[in-house]
Amino acid sequence: MELHDVWFVLIAVLWTGYFFLEGFDFGVGILTKLLARNRPEKRVLINTIGPVWDGNEVWLLTAGGATFAAFPEWYATLFSGFYLPLLIILVCLIVRGVAFEYRAKRPEENWQRNWEQAIFWTSLIPAVLWGVAFGNIVRGVKIDGNMEYVGTFWDLLNPYALLGGLVTLTLFTFHGTVFVALKTVGDIRTRARSLAVTLGLVTAALALAFLIWTQVDTGDGWSLAAMLIAAVSLVGAIGAVKAGREGWSFALSGVTIAAAVAMLFLALFPNVMPSSLDPAWSLTVTNASSSPYTLKIMTWCAAIATPLVLLYQGWTYWVFRKRIGTQHIADAH
Amino acid sequence: MDLALAPETLARWQFGITTVYHFLFVPLTISLAALTAGLQTAWVRTGKEKYLRATKFWGKLFLINIAMGVVTGIVQEFQFGMNWSDYSRFVGDIFGAPLAFEALIAFFFESTFIGLWIFGWDKLPKKIHLACIWMVSIGTILSAYFILAANSWMQHPVGYRINEDRGQGARAELTDFWAVLTQNTALTQFFHTMTAAFLVGGAFMVGISAFHLARKRHIPVMRTSLRLGLITLIIAGLGTAISGDMLGKVMFKQQPMKMAAAEALWDGEAPAPFSIFAYGDVEKGHNKVAVEIPGILSYLANGDFDSYVPGINDVNKAEQEKYGPGDYRPNIPVAYWGFRWMIGFGMASLAIGVVGLWLTRKKFLIAPGLRTGEDEVPNLVLFKSKALSPKIGRWYWIVALWTMLFPLIANSWGWIFTEMGRQPWVVYGVMRTSAAVSPGVSQGEVLTSMIVFTTLYAILAVIEVKLLVKYVKAGPPELTEDDLNPPTKIGGDTRDPDRPMAFSY
């Protein structure tokens, strides 16, 4: 395996980490409208992800930075090509970060309500758009002989990609619901469990349709295997949350996300961004990658830094392992 | 197409606006992280409550500020791909690496430990909780280092070669990463930017402490903060001046055009004068009015008072011979005035720090009758036995408050000067800015994103300033029993499982 293949895998790993982690915090953001019955419950939900959402988001920045360094052509084509959707995602991430930090900084009800609205929408919109973006990457977009995207914004809104968007939306929300069931006590935990089962079934139906579509279009034996793992673990996650085994359910919904991302990347390889105009114009791991020297340095950095990151991020989850409920939220601020 | 709305112009405006805006928060984040960590260390070591109250007060302002720094930073990483895709293709092999290093080494660190610090007051033992804020501080500094190494490569490219035979267009490829990380441009720029960042934090502390002291509020906490701020301001100010001189000498060698433009020196001279005021004719290439001090520019450039310094016209001619016909002059009024605003406001901050430290100096230098206790507003003492009249004393507090803005102005102009002074190059001598923009991105798209970001940033600025003002006015919080008795084991106190969290959103 050459270094650019290693980096293809590492980029896939970074996206897996991002979708696994920010997946549930997007989900929790969406649940503030779907699950919480009153304002203290909303605060419980927000505080389940309070200490960790910022660290989760860095997985995206790392995926972006790593793509820039390891596959500059991919980075350039992708971000200049998907200009407007990316702009919307950036605006959402800006408002979302500020919303978490500033919501409790003033006591006025209006102020807090506005930020809560912001948390809901800025969690929901990126959750959809990431699926749309990956749907388009796998399906292929209009890329010309100079590696430039020549399609329009509307080309990105095709049925396959939109289905992908619905899948990420429901999958992240399901993942978030399981996380809430795992992290809370009392009434909110009970309701999260039963909502998770319903959401899980909807997710299963949509995801199955999307993954089969992907498999038929571009799949091979490996992607079929990844798809089966995703399907089995999703069913397992639904079963486990129904049985009250939330830890297992969360692990399995994580496996579902990992397997689904793996499937997309397996369906993509050795392309990184196929051209729908002419296969010869596709961006591949070879023509989009950096020089072997840069990849070597990056590999060393990743080999040393990644285990450390996993270690201290894992420790954070350990420090904040206690379940929380409305009784843990102080009244005044 | 209207040139004023050409994608290149818009992309440059967008880069300028988003970067200068981002950089209003970054230096305050860097310096307040370290200063807060210092105050918390003082608390852990001495157990004095004023240090804990100060930690909580400055820590809160730090958090309000860092939220903006973090979210505006996300845009920075992605706009290279969005607006400058040809730049990304050409230099991604080199430029991407420090960005990826920053994410892997610095961002993860900073963002993970900030979560632990914010929510960890009742979950972590004292010393581990203290270690978290230091980790945040290290993260912010590492992050700055990698970004400045990347920027320095654009100012002075090293450790690379141009690969012409890739079959898909030439690009710059990395040959020596160590050279990129350790070249003198990167190191001096890092030194200069760090000291300038602490100038921001020092002035911020001085200004807010002065605000409270002038109103005789929260005196013990604000006395401590005032002195910490003044000392920071002076050390950082001296450091900024020294590193600025070092950086200037490096740039005179590496980018003679930028420094000639900064001085509006049209034709080379030996000895070369330092310009105090100039007004010139850019088309014809000369000054109509010039007020100068002889010999100083020679000293700034080369360390002696008689040496030759090439002028704008000389460098332009030399670059035309080297790179082909064209105009290699940056926007000269911007470079000239940017340089002056940077130095002027930076030096003014330092001066106000020195005056402040002298006026509030230690007890033994002051006559006994003018000494103040720990819980009194310090007398502003001019000489050993003569205090400033209260009226003039008030003026110092007001000036100190306004000084909060000075380093921010200096920083902003410093970056504008550095980046615009390098034009028409995006990578000096290697790639022109006009060749760097995204060819596939339309005017409408760039215009949309520029309007969206500018509007969003303007709204957020109002919100964040109002929040800062609210928390500044509220002053340091009163302490509770829980604050003074943090848990002794990781995971928090287990006596009462239903006790509310020390901090929640």
Side-chain angles (χ1 to χ4, degrees), chain A residues 43 47 57-58 61 65 73 75 77 83 100-102 105 147-148 287 289-291 293-294 312 316 328 333, chain B residues 64 74 77 81 83 89 93 108-109 111-112 168 171 174 177 439 449 470-471 497-498 500-501 504-505:
Chain A
R43 292 189 60 191
N47 279 290
E57 194 170 281
V58 175
L61 296 179
E73 306 278 5
Y75 172 84
T77 306
Y83 196 94
F100 283 133
E101 299 292 347
Y102 288 1
K105 293 275 185 288
M147 294 186 171
E148 293 295 341
N287 73 10
S289 82
S290 283
S291 64
Y293 175 73
T294 297
Y312 61 70
T316 308
H328 297 108
H333 206 75
Chain B
I64 292 170
I74 305 173
E77 178 179 307
N83 287 342
R89 291 180 204 282
D93 195 76
F108 269 129
F109 220 62
S111 61
T112 308
Q168 55 190 84
R171 73 170 175 193
L174 193 59
F177 191 51
S449 72
K470 173 189 146 92
Y471 278 93
D498 286 341
M501 297 186 284
S504 56
Y505 277 141

Side-chain angles (χ1 to χ4, degrees), chain B residues 368-408:
Chain B
L370 293 175
R371 288 175 198 166
T372 48
E374 278 293 297
D375 49 359
E376 291 170 85
V377 177
N379 275 317
L380 299 180
V381 181
L382 200 53
F383 302 110
K384 192 172 162 52
S385 56
K386 186 167 164 53
L388 278 189
S389 78
K391 216 174 185 177
I392 304 177
R394 257 202 90 67
W395 271 104
Y396 182 76
W397 300 130
I398 291 170
V399 170
L401 190 60
W402 281 99
T403 307
M404 286 166 64
L405 293 177
F406 290 5
L408 291 175

Side-chain angles (χ1 to χ4, degrees), chain A residues 156-190:
Chain A
L156 301 174
L157 304 180
N158 53 76
Y160 173 76
L162 290 173
L163 179 59
L166 283 181
V167 171
T168 45
L169 174 66
T170 51
L171 183 57
F172 292 167
T173 314
F174 169 67
H175 190 44
T177 317
V178 175
F179 180 75
V180 168
L182 177 64
K183 289 294 295 177
T184 55
V185 284
D187 189 35
I188 198 163
R189 177 183 178 189
T190 324

Side-chain angles (χ1 to χ4, degrees), chain B residues 102-160:
Chain B
E102 184 197 20
L104 268 166
I105 296 172
F107 281 171
F108 269 129
F109 220 62
E110 188 183 329
S111 61
T112 308
F113 284 99
I114 192 103
L116 280 159
W117 189 72
I118 301 174
F119 286 85
W121 286 96
D122 60 346
K123 297 275 189 294
L124 294 170
K126 242 183 191 179
K127 286 187 178 164
I128 296 181
H129 186 252
L130 172 64
C132 290
I133 185 78
W134 279 113
M135 296 291 196
V136 174
S137 171
I138 292 168
T140 60
I141 292 170
L142 278 173
S143 165
Y145 169 68
F146 285 117
I147 286 302
L148 291 168
N151 179 271
S152 297
W153 188 82
M154 298 165 78
Q155 307 289 349
H156 182 242
V158 293
Y160 76 104

Side-chain angles (χ1 to χ4, degrees), chain B residues 8 13 48-49 57-59 96 110 116 189 204 228 258 301 350 355 381 391 393 396 418 424 500:
Chain B
E8 185 198 336
W13 270 107
K48 284 187 187 165
E49 289 183 19
F57 177 69
W58 297 108
E110 188 183 329
L116 280 159
Q189 198 164 315
F204 189 74
L228 177 60
K258 185 189 280 179
L350 170 61
V355 170
V381 181
K391 216 174 185 177
Y396 182 76
T418 297

Side-chain angles (χ1 to χ4, degrees), chain A residues 12-296:
Chain A
V13 168
L14 288 168
W15 280 105
T16 305
Y18 178 63
F19 288 149
F20 181 104
L21 294 168
E22 189 127 285
F24 74 72
D25 73 47
F26 280 147
V28 172
I30 295 164
L31 289 177
T32 52
K33 262 206 199 321
L34 233 55
L35 184 67
R37 287 208 174 130
N38 50 36
R39 318 217 39 246
E41 286 195 356
K42 268 187 196 183
R43 292 189 60 191
V44 171
L45 291 179
I46 294 171
N47 279 290
T48 59
I49 54 169
V52 295
W53 69 269
D54 194 4
N56 295 349
E57 194 170 281
V58 175
W59 285 80
L60 170 67
L61 296 179
T62 310
T67 309
F68 197 170
F71 298 101
E73 306 278 5
W74 185 11
Y75 172 84
T77 306
L78 179 62
F79 291 123
S80 64
F82 293 9
Y83 196 94
L84 292 178
L86 188 68
L87 174 66
I88 299 169
I89 289 176
L90 289 179
V91 168
C92 286
L93 295 183
I94 291 174
V95 174
R96 190 170 185 263
V98 176
F100 283 133
E101 299 292 347
Y102 288 1
R103 198 204 68 95
K105 293 275 185 288
R106 293 189 87 96
E108 295 89 349
E109 183 153 337
N110 239 347
W111 168 272
Q112 301 203 351
R113 268 188 205 290
N114 288 340
W115 288 122
E116 282 158 14
Q117 288 284 353
I119 288 173
F120 172 76
W121 288 106
T122 57
S123 299
L124 183 130
I125 295 167
V128 175
L129 287 180
W130 284 126
V132 175
F134 270 82
N136 278 305
I137 292 174
V138 173
R139 176 175 172 266
V141 289
K142 292 177 182 167
I143 294 173
D144 70 6
N146 296 319
M147 294 186 171
E148 293 295 341
Y149 176 73
V150 291
T152 66
F153 174 64
W154 305 110
D155 288 334
L156 301 174
L157 304 180
N158 53 76
Y160 173 76
L162 290 173
L163 179 59
L166 283 181
V167 171
T168 45
L169 174 66
T170 51
L171 183 57
F172 292 167
T173 314
F174 169 67
H175 190 44
T177 317
V178 175
F179 180 75
V180 168
L182 177 64
K183 289 294 295 177
T184 55
V185 284
D187 189 35
I188 198 163
R189 177 183 178 189
T190 324
R191 270 184 286 126
R193 267 195 219 156
S194 58
L195 180 64
V197 175
T198 320
L199 274 172
L201 294 172
V202 177
T203 308
L206 289 166
L208 206 63
F210 180 72
L211 294 183
I212 289 175
W213 193 340
T214 311
Q215 178 65 24
V216 170
D217 260 12
T218 50
D220 57 13
W222 289 102
S223 66
L224 183 66
M227 184 182 121
L228 290 176
I229 294 173
V232 170
S233 54
L234 182 56
V235 171
I238 300 169
V241 75
K242 199 169 181 193
R245 306 297 298 269
E246 289 131 358
W248 280 105
S249 179
F250 185 65
L252 285 169
S253 66
V255 174
T256 309
I257 290 178
V261 176
M263 177 177 177
L264 295 182
F265 275 82
L266 283 166
L268 199 56
F269 188 82
N271 287 327
V272 294
M273 228 175 147
S275 167
S276 61
L277 298 176
D278 180 348
W281 293 341
S282 296
L283 275 69
T284 66
V285 287
T286 38
N287 73 10
S289 82
S290 283
S291 64
Y293 175 73
T294 297
L295 291 176
K296 195 176 94 187

